[in-house]
Amino acid sequence: MNYKFTIIVPVYNEEDNLERVEKELLAYSKIATQPTTILFVNDGSKDSSQTHIETICNRNENFNYILFKENRGLSAAIKAGFDHTNTELVGYIDSDLQTAPEDFNLLLEHIGEYDLVTGVRSNRKDSFVKNMSSKIANGIRRSFTHDGMDDTGCPLKVIKTEYAKRIPMFKGLHRFLPAMILLQEGKVIQISVQHFPRIAGTAKFGVWNRLLGPLMDCFAYLWMKKKYINYQVAKKS
C-alpha cells in the first residue's frame, strides 16, 4: 500500500498494554483519513515487550518495529521514528493509550495548512500532582519559547515529515517540537483531544521529569535557537 502517514509508538516496558495498542491502532487504520502504517520504537525494554511487538508485526502488514540496543529515552525513540519514516506525514502516540488514536483524524484535518498539529488534553485524567507539575512546566516553557502551546507534552501529534526530519533532537527536546517547527518558519496549531486514565503499566515520568528537567531543557533550547541553522533552497540543478 502507498502509505501517507506513519504513527510512531515509543515503547518502554509496556508489555501489559501492547495487545490493546494493536487492537486500537488496527481499528484506527481502518477509519484513518490517510493510508496509515505503524512503527513501534522499542526503547530497550527489559520486559517481554519485544516478543509482543514481533508477534504483532508478524500478523499485521502495516505494523513494523525498531529495537534499540539499550534504553535511550523518549526523545531518542521519537528521533529514530522520524529518521525511519518515509511517508509524507508522521505522528506519534504513547503506548499507554491515554490519548485516542481516532483523534489523529482531528489533527489530520488541519495538517494541510499547518506543519505541526498537536493535541491538547482536555479534562485530563491524571493525578493532581501530575497535572499541576505539567501545568507549571508548560508555563515555564512558554515563557522561554513563546510558542503559544498549552500542552506540548500531549502524546498525540502530526507533523509534515520534511519538517520532522530537520529537527535536531536531543534529550528532552520532545517537549519543544512546536518551538522547533517555528524555528523552521513553519506553522503550528493545537487541537483539543480526549484523555483517559492509564489502565496498565506504570508512568515513566515523575515530578523531576515534568518540572525540573524541562526547566533545564529550556536553557538547552535557547542555546539551540541561537545556533540554529535554517535555509531554503531557491534553485538546484
Side-chain angles (χ1 to χ4, degrees):
M1 183 180 291
N2 185 22
Y3 296 115
K4 300 292 185 182
F5 179 40
T6 298
I7 298 174
I8 299 166
V9 186
V11 176
Y12 182 64
N13 295 343
E14 293 285 0
E15 59 185 1
D16 294 330
N17 275 316
L18 289 171
E19 287 189 11
R20 190 164 63 97
V21 169
E22 176 191 19
K23 179 180 178 181
E24 299 253 352
L25 287 175
L26 192 59
Y28 170 70
S29 66
K30 296 176 181 178
I31 63 168
T33 56
Q34 298 288 342
T36 299
T37 181
I38 290 88
L39 177 62
F40 289 110
V41 182
N42 187 349
D43 184 19
S45 296
K46 296 177 174 59
D47 62 2
S48 63
S49 290
Q50 184 60 23
T51 300
H52 287 285
I53 288 171
E54 291 187 27
T55 299
I56 291 168
C57 292
N58 285 337
R59 64 189 177 209
N60 297 286
E61 63 179 2
N62 62 324
F63 284 68
N64 296 282
Y65 72 85
I66 298 169
L67 171 63
F68 281 5
K69 291 180 64 175
E70 56 189 357
N71 177 245
R72 306 304 286 175
L74 179 57
S75 291
I78 293 172
K79 175 66 164 63
F82 290 167
D83 290 344
H84 289 82
T85 291
N86 297 311
T87 54
E88 296 174 12
L89 302 172
V90 61
Y92 76 88
I93 187 171
D94 277 356
S95 48
D96 60 17
L97 288 184
Q98 287 191 257
T99 49
E102 64 200 58
D103 284 347
F104 274 121
N105 284 349
L106 298 176
L107 307 189
L108 287 167
E109 288 180 14
H110 302 273
I111 198 62
E113 181 180 356
Y114 295 89
D115 304 301
L116 176 146
V117 186
T118 183
V120 178
R121 292 167 285 189
S122 58
N123 193 22
R124 285 185 64 173
K125 302 298 191 299
D126 289 322
S127 68
F128 174 79
V129 171
K130 185 175 180 180
N131 284 337
M132 285 305 298
S133 60
S134 294
K135 189 172 183 178
I136 293 170
N138 273 302
I140 294 171
R141 177 196 43 75
R142 278 196 307 273
S143 69
F144 277 79
T145 64
H146 305 289
D147 61 9
M149 299 289 104
D150 297 315
D151 185 18
T152 59
C154 179
L156 201 73
K157 291 179 173 62
V158 175
I159 313 173
K160 289 179 180 173
T161 303
E162 61 179 309
Y163 283 82
K165 287 183 178 292
R166 291 198 297 261
I167 296 174
M169 297 284 284
F170 57 83
K171 188 174 182 180
L173 199 64
H174 61 273
R175 304 179 184 94
F176 295 83
L177 293 180
M180 296 306 296
I181 299 301
L182 291 173
L183 282 184
Q184 299 180 43
E185 299 181 1
K187 296 175 66 177
V188 301
I189 190 174
Q190 55 186 4
I191 302 296
S192 180
V193 298
Q194 304 172 83
H195 190 248
F196 307 94
R198 177 187 269 272
I199 64 173
T202 57
K204 308 303 186 294
F205 293 94
V207 174
W208 168 264
N209 305 94
R210 294 191 187 91
L211 191 55
L212 300 179
L215 175 59
M216 297 170 61
D217 294 339
C218 284
F219 293 101
Y221 166 77
L222 290 182
W223 178 89
M224 177 67 69
K225 181 178 180 179
K226 184 176 180 181
K227 301 292 185 179
Y228 186 72
I229 295 173
N230 187 41
Y231 66 88
Q232 295 181 344
V233 174
K235 189 177 182 181
K236 63 180 180 179
S237 64

